[in-house]
Each structure stands twice: as C-alpha cells, then as structure tokens.
Amino acid sequence: MSYDRIYQANQASGLAYLSGQLLDEPGASHQIDAKYPALLFKQQLVDLIEKVYGLISDKLKKELNPLLELCIQDPRTSQAKASVTSAGLGQHNQLTHWLGIVKILNSYLYLLIANHVPTILVHKLLTQIFSMVNVQLFNRLLLRRECCSFSNGEHIRAGLAQLKHWCNDVAQELADSAWEALRHIRQAADFLVISRKQMRTWREIRNDICPALSLQQLERIVGMYWDDMSGTNVLSAEFTSSMRATMHEESNSLSSFSVLLDDDSSIPFSLDDIAKSMPNIEDTVESDLLPFIRENQSLALILQRRD
C-alpha cells in the first residue's frame, strides 16, 4: 500500500478532524487533554494496521484456496497408474500444486520484507496462513472418503514436506510454529501411511501418532480409511475394542463436538507487539518518505522536529 493511501486513510478516519476542525470552531474554549490526540492516533493506527493485515490475509487465502482443493488428493488416484518410464514425470506433476503454494508464499514473504513490515507481523501472518492450510486440508480429508487412502496419505506427506523445506530454507524462525500449525493434517497423513496397522495398539495410535486429533476425528478417519495398495483395511482387535470403549466412556462429554476444525481469522497481535520489534529503517526509507512529507502540509511538524 502506498504512503499516500495510508495517509488518506488516516485523514478519513479522523486525523483531519483533530488537526483542524476541533481547534478552529468559533468560540471554542475547550481544554484538551494533551494525551488525547496521541491516544486517538494510536487507536487509529491500530485500526489501520489491522485493516491492512486483514486485506493481505484475505487476499493470500483467496490465492491459496484453489490450490488447496487440488492438493488434498493425489492426481494419480483418479487416473491409470503411470508407467515405469514416466514415473519421474509423474512424481513432479503430483507436487505441482504444492509447489504453487510455495511460490505464492515466497512472493508474499519477499513483498513484506521489501516494505519493511515488522518481523513479528510477518511471523504472525504466515503462521495464521499455515493454520488455515491445516484447517482446509484436514476438513476436506474428513469429508471425502476417497482421500483417506494409503497412497493419498503419501501424497499429502510429500506436499507437507515441501512446506517444511520452505520454512527451513527461507523462514527459519517460522519453521517450528508453522509445523505445529499443520499438526492435524500432518498427523492424519501419518496415520494413513503407517505400516502394519494390524499390529498397532490403540494407545500407540492415539497418543504417539495422532495426539492432536480428537477421539471423534480419529474415529472418522479410521472408519473411512482404505488401503488402495494392498487391499487390506485391517486394524487390530485391541485397537477396535479400545476405541469403542473409549467412545462409550466419553460419549456424554463429546455429544455436541464437531469433527471439523474452525478457521481462526482473528487479529493475532497488538500494537505493542509491533512496537517492540520495529526495526530502525530511517536510513533505508528516508529518501522515499521525505518527498511525501514535504508535499503534505499537515505533516510539516515532522520536518520541523527533524531539523
């Protein structure tokens, strides 16, 4: 967003009122608390930052959503098996949509950095976007039985690995929080691909492989799972009996629980968070800011204080 648009937004929201109308009213004799303009400016600054954050977040989600719809299912499952000679090409093609997500994340990250957006704000935005990716993929998995297969689990895990590589290579400080934000879809994929399911115990799957999944979410995935590679869907008798017993014990407390996740679109930061992490960018943007300040008489005070 350009400096002019930011300035105009502030004027429209009340700064012009503070700088002129309030003090120029005929016969005005009100005493104004010196703190009030600063507090009002701070609140309007928070509102502006939240508005811009919401616009960027919404735009990024709109760009990612079409790709997420394509990422949830391995394109090979709806086609004939690729031949041995085209296996390499098939592997590349099945990751095309995941790589598209990485490309979009890259473009936004570089744009935010180039515009000197505070690190904490970049971190919050990308972590929230990874949480949205988790919600969208996980909910789609729960709603489509054809996606709950062994080969599809491998496809999802390979795609998630691309996101992890991106975090490690480009945004290392984001890696841990982003990987944690993907916990539901990551653990669901882990269940789909684990070997020897008939040997796995209830405790092992619930506590070690899928600890983030609720009882009802795990039951739904187990019920929809099918092994398209070996044709067996067998789970151990101990697993089945323990799951049913646990469901019976917790049925009262879980009666109103939804298996689908909710996307958290709240603003995950405060102005104080941003202020504490603001970099010193005076030297890098001074030449860009000064023409804008000189062209706006209402900002003359900034030049006077600078001189």
Side-chain angles (χ1 to χ4, degrees):
M1 178 176 291
S2 68
Y3 299 123
D4 289 301
R5 290 182 64 187
I6 293 176
Y7 178 68
Q8 290 168 5
N10 277 327
Q11 282 189 320
S13 59
L15 288 180
Y17 179 81
L18 271 180
S19 63
Q21 182 179 348
L22 181 62
L23 299 180
D24 294 338
E25 285 181 350
S29 59
H30 305 290
Q31 289 188 350
I32 302 174
D33 187 347
K35 294 182 179 180
Y36 176 73
L39 293 176
L40 181 58
F41 175 79
K42 181 178 179 180
Q43 181 57 53
Q44 291 179 334
L45 181 59
V46 171
D47 294 342
L48 178 61
I49 294 174
E50 290 182 351
K51 181 178 180 179
V52 173
Y53 177 93
L55 291 173
I56 296 174
S57 178
D58 290 344
K59 187 174 186 299
L60 180 51
K61 289 179 180 180
K62 288 180 180 178
E63 290 188 33
L64 292 176
N65 264 321
L67 291 175
L68 293 176
E69 177 63 32
L70 299 171
C71 284
I72 191 58
Q73 188 173 10
D74 185 346
R76 297 174 303 175
T77 60
S78 59
Q79 303 170 358
K81 294 296 181 181
S83 65
V84 175
T85 56
S86 62
L89 180 61
Q91 175 67 19
H92 180 270
N93 286 342
Q94 71 169 334
L95 292 177
T96 298
H97 306 308
W98 289 96
L99 295 175
I101 290 177
V102 170
K103 183 178 180 180
I104 292 174
L105 292 175
N106 262 333
S107 65
Y108 273 81
L109 177 62
Y110 293 145
L111 181 63
L112 294 171
I113 293 175
N115 284 275
H116 310 287
V117 175
T119 302
I120 188 172
L121 197 58
V122 177
H123 184 278
K124 295 287 188 181
L125 174 64
L126 293 178
T127 300
Q128 192 171 48
I129 291 300
F130 272 83
S131 178
M132 182 275 294
V133 170
N134 176 68
V135 170
Q136 294 297 323
L137 291 179
F138 186 74
N139 285 351
R140 285 181 170 93
L141 187 71
L142 293 183
L143 295 173
R144 296 169 57 178
R145 184 179 184 276
E146 68 273 15
C147 295
C148 291
S149 65
F150 181 89
S151 61
N152 203 62
E154 289 186 322
H155 168 67
I156 295 173
R157 286 225 304 184
L160 293 174
Q162 296 299 316
L163 298 185
K164 186 171 179 61
H165 292 328
W166 179 80
C167 291
N168 291 333
D169 295 341
V170 181
Q172 180 61 50
E173 69 279 2
L174 177 68
D176 292 340
S177 59
W179 198 239
E180 174 62 19
L182 294 169
R183 60 188 178 277
H184 290 87
I185 187 61
R186 179 165 48 86
Q187 292 176 18
D190 287 343
F191 169 78
L192 296 179
V193 302
I194 57 172
S195 60
R196 302 184 301 169
K197 287 185 176 61
Q198 67 276 13
M199 304 295 293
R200 308 285 181 169
T201 66
W202 165 250
R203 183 181 297 275
E204 180 183 6
I205 291 179
R206 191 181 189 195
N207 296 341
D208 299 335
I209 299 174
C210 304
L213 273 58
S214 70
L215 180 59
Q216 290 177 320
Q217 289 167 343
L218 180 56
E219 181 200 27
R220 188 178 184 91
I221 292 176
V222 169
M224 294 194 300
Y225 171 74
W226 56 289
D227 190 340
D228 57 338
M229 301 300 290
S230 64
T232 60
N233 298 338
V234 178
L235 290 165
S236 69
E238 184 275 337
F239 176 91
T240 303
S241 61
S242 296
M243 182 176 68
R244 289 174 178 172
T246 306
M247 287 291 295
H248 179 72
E249 293 172 1
E250 302 183 14
S251 59
N252 292 332
S253 60
L254 297 175
S255 57
S256 60
F257 181 81
S258 173
V259 296
L260 300 180
L261 298 176
D262 293 323
D263 185 19
D264 182 8
S265 58
S266 62
I267 301 297
F269 61 85
S270 66
L271 185 61
D272 290 337
D273 293 332
I274 300 173
K276 292 176 183 177
S277 66
M278 280 293 292
N280 183 7
I281 61 173
E282 180 178 350
D283 295 336
T284 59
V285 300
E286 186 179 73
S287 60
D288 190 26
L289 278 173
L290 287 180
F292 165 71
I293 295 175
R294 291 193 180 100
E295 293 168 3
N296 292 276
Q297 294 300 317
S298 298
L299 299 178
L301 179 62
I302 295 178
L303 288 176
Q304 293 173 9
R305 295 189 61 180
R306 181 176 179 275
D307 297 336

